[in-house]
């Protein structure tokens, strides 16, 4: 027997793919958790079908999970996998085009039956016909080996044993890349603790996969990826939705107000509801409403009652919530509306990512109803973006839209857990007494008497003696809050509400231009942060200067944005839509924006954007 070798790699991209019932998301998640525990930087891309259970073995039913981990800073989930684990022919066919020549293929040959091959249009078995000769193929009878490894578990049916093949695959890949399994074993004990035989079978399959890699001649090498250098601190692997939930709770805590979420479950926002429902001990109340309109109505009612009101949804829900967002604009109450964007229009691509709701959240309401809009850039950044959204809402007494998307919501990366004492924010002052006097000199409450700096009106909790005031969607008189149909008053109130949003304090746009002589600027927003940063890194490594900037605040824009845009000969703006932000920037700053767009339900690749930047650099030579 030849001795095994151990090779050191600086980065690896692995994709697990199989039928939606094969447990690929769980397998990828567990591999990711163990990788994070080792200290590698990482980024993930779960990709799964919209159907709860698509037809087994078909292309629409393929579910995949991609993980990029490295010994250095990771910005994207990777353009293409170095290793593809395909649990059936459909998984192979759906993903093979992404696999570069020379990469590794691990196939469950038990699933490559004539029937399964026919379901996806294979006329011959690719394992045998030579069509995979350009790749390093490891054909393994994963299902049979798993069943054989669990032969001692006589109380389990063959089907129950087959379900553990994802744990066998996880064990094998854990051996290949020197990942620990202790965390996964603890996870399984928690998940299946009430079913001892199922627990024991999964643990046995996991260990059998590890042992198979250790003993078989088919795998001559294992690999090591050293930890990435990171600042000292406590880290955890976190998805965007979980980070966003924690950010909302932290912001409400720092504001000294309870948090209430009114939400209707919708992909890909539902996990925020799930996460917050387990945080009651932190002053969080969650209400799963009967529909989207009820969800935001509950949240706005909570805001009226003195809580941080939050509602979460995706694009179709934003359409339904638009009237109540307009009511919140009129009432001038703090409300956070979270939009986890997905492919549209209508139901569209529920489980795929997109950035196409920007114009809707900017303008998708009747009348002049401006709201601040901010966008998170990475899964971990969802925490900071949520805190920022609550800060703006409570400081300026306005609804705020926080944009994320399916890529950020389900993707994960290491997050440095901050100290509570270091978090920004301060307790919010509620109105507790009259703030003016009437003509007779008696104290009165004027609900629209504004703070001169923020233009925010007082936040008066109902039931506070002496602070009774009228609410509703009909236009209010300035200062008194009485119903008013006066044309000049309406004009004044519209302009005051616009001035309040325009006056929201946002930091200047920071530009990453190391040499200071770049002629091309690449600007992004939202989840394009990682691909844009990775692409500019590639171009700079080739010796060509290029500047980069990223927008978090989309309304209002940073004060220096116009000056930054006019500083460069070309401005390139990649968006996962057909050019929505480019439209706004062209209109506001009269700058020619080079728009690069895609609406494929997937994030940009580094190679794609690097090519776009390189072509632009050639044009300005």
């Amino acid at each position: 027997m030849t001795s095994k070798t151990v090779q050191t790699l600086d980065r690896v991209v692995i994709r697990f793919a199989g039928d939606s019932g094969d447990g690929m998301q769980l397998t990828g998640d567990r591999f990711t958790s163990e990788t994070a525990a080792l200290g590698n930087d990482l980024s993930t891309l779960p990709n799964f079908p919209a159907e709860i259970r698509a037809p087994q073995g078909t292309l629409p039913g393929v579910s995949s999970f991609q993980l990029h981990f490295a010994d250095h800073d990771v910005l994207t989930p990777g353009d293409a996998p170095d290793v593809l684990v395909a649990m059936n022919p459909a998984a192979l066919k759906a993903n093979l085009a992404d696999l570069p020549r020379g990469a590794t293929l691990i196939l469950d040959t038990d699933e490559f039956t004539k029937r399964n091959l026919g379901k996806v249009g294979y006329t011959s078995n690719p394992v045998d016909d030579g069509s995979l000769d350009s790749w390093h193929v490891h054909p393994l009878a994963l299902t049979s080996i798993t069943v054989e490894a669990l032969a001692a578990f006589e109380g389990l049916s063959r089907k129950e044993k087959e379900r553990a093949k994802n744990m066998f695959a996880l064990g094998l890949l854990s051996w290949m890349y020197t990942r620990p399994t202790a965390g996964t074993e603890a996870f399984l004990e928690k998940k299946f603790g009430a079913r001892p035989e199922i627990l024991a079978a999964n643990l046995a399959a996991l260990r059998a996969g590890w042992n198979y890699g250790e003993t078989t001649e088919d795998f001559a090498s294992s690999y090591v990826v050293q930890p990435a250098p990171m600042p000292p601190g406590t880290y955890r692997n976190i998805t965007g939705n979980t980070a966003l939930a924690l950010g909302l709770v932290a912001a409400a805590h720092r504001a000294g107000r309870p948090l209430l979420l009114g939400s209707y479950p919708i992909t890909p926002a539902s996990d925020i509801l799930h996460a917050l429902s387990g945080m009651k001990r932190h002053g969080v109340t969650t209400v799963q409403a009967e529909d989207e309109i009820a969800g935001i109505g509950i949240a706005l009612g909570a805001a009226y009652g003195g809580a941080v009101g939050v509602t979460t949804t995706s694009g179709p829900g934003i359409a339904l919530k638009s009237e109540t967002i307009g009511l919140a604009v009129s009432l001038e109450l703090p409300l956070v509306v979270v939009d986890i964007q997905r492919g549209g229009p209508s139901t569209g691509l529920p489980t795929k990512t997109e950035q196409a709701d920007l114009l809707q959240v900017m303008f998708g309401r009747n009348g002049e109803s401006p709201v601040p809009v901010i966008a998170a850039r990475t899964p971990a950044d969802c925490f900071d973006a949520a805190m920022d959204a609550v800060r703006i809402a409570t400081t300026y007494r306005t609804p705020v839209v926080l944009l994320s998307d399916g890529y950020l919501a389900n993707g994960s990366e290491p997050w440095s857990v901050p100290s509570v004492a270091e978090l920004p924010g301060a307790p919010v002052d509620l109105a507790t007494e009259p703030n003016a006097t009437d003509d007779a000199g008696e104290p009165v409450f004027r609900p629209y008497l504004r703070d001169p700096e923020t233009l925010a009106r007082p936040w008066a909790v109902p039931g506070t003696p002496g602070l009774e005031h009228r609410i509703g969607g009909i236009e209010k008189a300035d200062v008194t809050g009485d119903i008013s149909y006066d044309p000049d008053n309406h004009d004044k109130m519209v302009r005051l509400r616009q001035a309040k949003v325009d006056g929201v304090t946002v930091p200047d746009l920071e530009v990453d231009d190391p040499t200071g002589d770049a002629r091309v600027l690449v600007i992004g927003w939202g989840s394009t942060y990682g691909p844009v940063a990775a692409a500019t890194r590639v171009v700079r490594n080739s010796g060509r200067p290029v500047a980069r900037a990223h927008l978090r605040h989309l309304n209002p824009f940073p004060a220096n944005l116009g000056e930054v845009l006019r500083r460069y000969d070309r401005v390139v703006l990649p968006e996962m839509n057909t050019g929505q932000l480019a439209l706004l920037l062209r209109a506001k700053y009269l700058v020619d924006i080079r728009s690069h767009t895609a609406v494929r339900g997937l994030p940009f690749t580094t190679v794609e954007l690097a090519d776009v930047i390189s072509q632009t650099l050639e044009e300005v030579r």
Side-chain angles (χ1 to χ4, degrees), residues 106-239:
I106 299 176
L107 305 176
D108 182 3
T109 55
D110 285 331
E111 294 297 321
F112 282 69
T113 63
K114 185 175 181 180
R115 182 169 181 268
N116 286 345
L117 292 167
K119 285 182 182 180
V120 294
Y122 280 124
T123 57
S124 62
N125 192 336
V127 179
D128 304 320
D129 64 11
S131 60
L132 302 180
D133 288 348
S134 297
W135 294 274
H136 295 295
V137 181
H138 296 277
L140 306 177
L142 281 176
T143 304
S144 299
I145 296 173
T146 303
V147 171
E148 183 179 350
L150 303 182
F153 295 87
E154 298 178 356
L156 299 181
S157 67
R158 179 179 176 87
K159 189 172 184 178
E160 288 174 319
K161 294 175 182 177
E162 289 177 355
R163 286 181 185 146
K165 65 182 179 181
N166 66 323
M167 287 296 105
F168 185 95
L170 177 59
L172 173 59
L173 269 293
S174 297
W175 172 83
M176 283 182 64
Y177 292 97
T178 325
R179 307 291 97 179
T181 60
T184 297
E185 291 174 5
F187 169 84
L188 292 173
E189 288 171 2
K190 183 176 180 180
K191 183 177 179 65
F192 297 116
R195 305 179 67 187
E197 195 163 25
I198 296 292
L199 168 62
N202 277 277
L203 291 173
L206 179 69
R207 292 160 186 161
W210 178 286
N211 293 335
Y212 185 87
E214 182 73 34
T215 58
T216 184
E217 291 291 319
D218 198 32
F219 296 91
S221 297
S222 61
Y223 306 92
V224 172
V225 179
Q226 297 296 336
M230 294 183 182
T234 301
Y235 288 83
R236 60 164 289 186
N237 189 52
I238 199 165
T239 65

